[in-house]
Amino acid sequence: MMRPKAGWATIILIIVTCLTIGVMVGLVIRDWDRFIVMPLNEIGDFLAGTAGTVALIWIVYGYLQQNKALEIQQAELKNSVEALNLQTEELRNSVEQQRLSAEHLGTQAKTMEEQARNTRLQLAEERKQIIVETYPLLTARKAHSRVVDGKLHQNLEFQNIAADCTAGELTISSKTAVSTEKKFNLLRRYEVLDYMLIVESTKEAQTDITITSMSNRNKKRQQTFRWSKGSITEIKCVPPKD
């Protein structure tokens, strides 16, 4: 806290005090003979009158100085309040900037996440397309069927929906099937391979059909289909489709 500096008023007051004391001492010295024979109450009145005047002046001066100090204190307090208000405003602005930055970062993160997701989807689609263009891929469906001499003759169709197949082989794994394996050469995309599955019609045992196909890029794929209870489904594919 700043304190009021001694100015001309203080200096003048000190001078007046010194002069008053000097005058009092001078009067005492001049009338020493009378002073020493004065009653004590008169001496006290003399000293009280002189010192009281000086004390009153200093009391008034102290009161004025105290008021001045209070004014300075009030001004400093006002400045402190203004500084706190400025700090509060700066803090509020800082919080707002951080909030805006957080929102911006959140938007950037969402955008990057969306871009990454799109990139993953694009790469997956490109990989799928590469697989389609590299390996043959057969789908199976059943066509017409008939029973001849107690045996079920089921016509199956395998359609190639991917890369051209330049060579392939179809094998059977079943205790009830009487069909034989089948080899084939060229099976272009979207062409169909017909196969007649012959099984004992009185048997319910399942039949696995494995087809190994080779593409024009010398890439081999092996698929296994299972015939059971009048329907055919794929159960294995190496390499996988995706």
Side-chain angles (χ1 to χ4, degrees):
M1 181 184 70
M2 294 179 60
R3 296 183 179 275
K5 297 180 180 180
W8 287 107
T10 304
I11 297 173
I12 292 172
L13 189 57
I14 293 172
I15 293 173
V16 170
T17 302
C18 293
L19 289 175
T20 302
I21 295 173
V23 170
M24 183 182 67
V25 172
L27 292 174
V28 171
I29 293 173
R30 188 188 65 178
D31 297 325
W32 177 256
D33 293 335
R34 293 177 57 190
F35 183 76
I36 60 176
V37 296
M38 288 174 61
L40 292 178
N41 60 338
E42 292 181 3
I43 295 175
D45 292 339
F46 171 74
L47 294 176
T50 305
T53 303
V54 176
L56 180 61
I57 295 174
W58 278 102
I59 288 173
V60 173
Y61 176 75
Y63 175 76
L64 295 176
Q65 289 294 98
Q66 187 176 11
N67 286 342
K68 189 173 182 180
L70 289 174
E71 290 177 359
I72 294 174
Q73 237 180 357
Q74 185 177 5
E76 290 180 348
L77 182 59
K78 183 179 179 180
N79 293 334
S80 298
V81 171
E82 292 178 354
L84 287 175
N85 290 335
L86 289 176
Q87 288 180 354
T88 303
E89 185 66 23
E90 290 177 356
L91 183 59
R92 186 181 295 111
N93 294 334
S94 176
V95 171
E96 181 66 18
Q97 289 295 329
Q98 290 180 0
R99 186 185 66 81
L100 294 176
S101 298
E103 290 180 356
H104 182 64
L105 289 175
T107 303
Q108 281 187 334
K110 290 181 179 179
T111 302
M112 293 176 65
E113 183 178 356
E114 183 68 19
Q115 290 177 348
R117 189 179 68 85
N118 293 336
T119 300
R120 288 195 299 270
L121 291 175
Q122 183 179 358
L123 291 176
E125 188 64 27
E126 291 177 356
R127 181 176 180 274
K128 184 177 180 181
Q129 187 63 29
I130 291 174
I131 292 176
V132 168
E133 295 175 356
T134 303
Y135 297 93
L137 180 63
L138 303 182
T139 60
R141 66 176 181 268
K142 66 177 184 176
H144 57 83
S145 64
R146 66 183 186 277
V147 178
V148 179
D149 297 332
K151 296 180 178 63
L152 176 65
H153 291 63
Q154 176 65 58
N155 182 256
L156 300 176
E157 296 179 348
F158 298 94
Q159 185 180 25
N160 182 17
I161 60 173
D164 293 345
C165 175
T166 57
E169 182 180 12
L170 184 151
T171 59
I172 298 294
S173 174
S174 174
K175 295 181 179 180
T176 61
V178 295
S179 304
T180 59
E181 65 180 24
K182 180 177 182 179
K183 293 184 178 181
F184 55 93
N185 293 324
L186 183 61
L187 186 64
R188 298 184 184 277
R189 191 171 186 177
Y190 302 123
E191 290 184 348
V192 176
L193 172 68
D194 292 320
Y195 180 74
M196 182 63 68
L197 176 65
I198 303 175
V199 296
E200 298 290 343
S201 61
T202 58
K203 304 292 184 180
E204 296 295 337
Q206 63 190 19
T207 300
D208 289 345
I209 304 171
T210 300
I211 301 178
T212 303
S213 54
M214 185 73 70
S215 72
N216 54 4
R217 299 184 182 182
N218 293 324
K219 298 295 183 179
K220 182 173 70 173
R221 167 171 275 163
Q222 190 175 74
Q223 296 174 258
T224 301
F225 301 88
R226 177 164 292 169
W227 167 265
S228 177
K229 298 182 179 180
S231 63
I232 185 168
T233 56
E234 185 182 29
I235 61 173
K236 187 178 180 181
C237 181
V238 180
K241 301 175 184 179
D242 298 328

